[in-house]
Amino acid sequence: MPDRSLPRTERLRSLGAVRRLFESGESGFVFPFRYVWYADADAQDSTEILFSVPKKFHKRANKRNLLRRRTKEAYRLQKGILAVPGRCTNLDVALIYSSKEVLPYKHIEHAVRRILESVADRL
């Protein structure tokens, strides 16, 4: 059974890594997410992810937390899509929720799956 946890080591926390991701990463849009990813072939094999729900669209913290939790759960259950055998790259991904609506989990799950499949195909 694959590991479906989301430990702290898989979260993108380093300021330098976040800056590198947004300066030289590739981006795309799958409703309701804008996503940015950066792959570094010279580093160890790891995947780190950043989740963001801007205050600009959702003023209330409880809505932002709800959307962040739904996104984390969708990623946690589908992160095996990025596990490509024989790949030795450091992959950084940012998922930014860009809709003013609070969408149901199924819609978020489908969007996260499409994003992960798109990134895996381009690696």
Side-chain angles (χ1 to χ4, degrees), residues 3 7 23 70 82 90 92 108 110 112:
D3 181 28
E23 286 177 354
R70 286 181 181 174
L82 294 176
N90 181 23
D92 296 337
I108 291 173
H110 180 68
V112 170

Side-chain angles (χ1 to χ4, degrees), residues 47-66:
T47 302
E48 293 183 351
I49 188 151
L50 172 116
F51 302 98
S52 177
V53 181
K55 199 176 198 179
K56 177 181 180 180
F57 297 128
H58 300 281
K59 302 294 184 200
R60 306 291 233 138
N62 60 349
K63 287 185 182 179
R64 289 195 306 273
N65 291 339
L66 172 73

Side-chain angles (χ1 to χ4, degrees), residues 34-100:
R34 176 176 172 261
Y35 65 96
V36 182
W37 64 278
Y38 176 78
D40 185 11
D42 298 333
Q44 73 277 8
D45 187 22
S46 68
T47 302
E48 293 183 351
I49 188 151
L50 172 116
F51 302 98
S52 177
V53 181
K55 199 176 198 179
K56 177 181 180 180
F57 297 128
H58 300 281
K59 302 294 184 200
R60 306 291 233 138
N62 60 349
K63 287 185 182 179
R64 289 195 306 273
N65 291 339
L66 172 73
L67 293 169
R68 197 175 303 114
R69 270 190 243 114
R70 286 181 181 174
T71 307
K72 282 182 180 180
E73 181 70 6
Y75 171 76
R76 185 184 69 80
L77 294 175
Q78 300 175 29
K79 70 180 183 176
I81 295 171
L82 294 176
V84 179
R87 174 180 66 92
C88 265
T89 58
N90 181 23
L91 178 65
D92 296 337
V93 181
L95 296 177
I96 302 135
Y97 193 89
S98 301
S99 173
K100 292 183 179 182

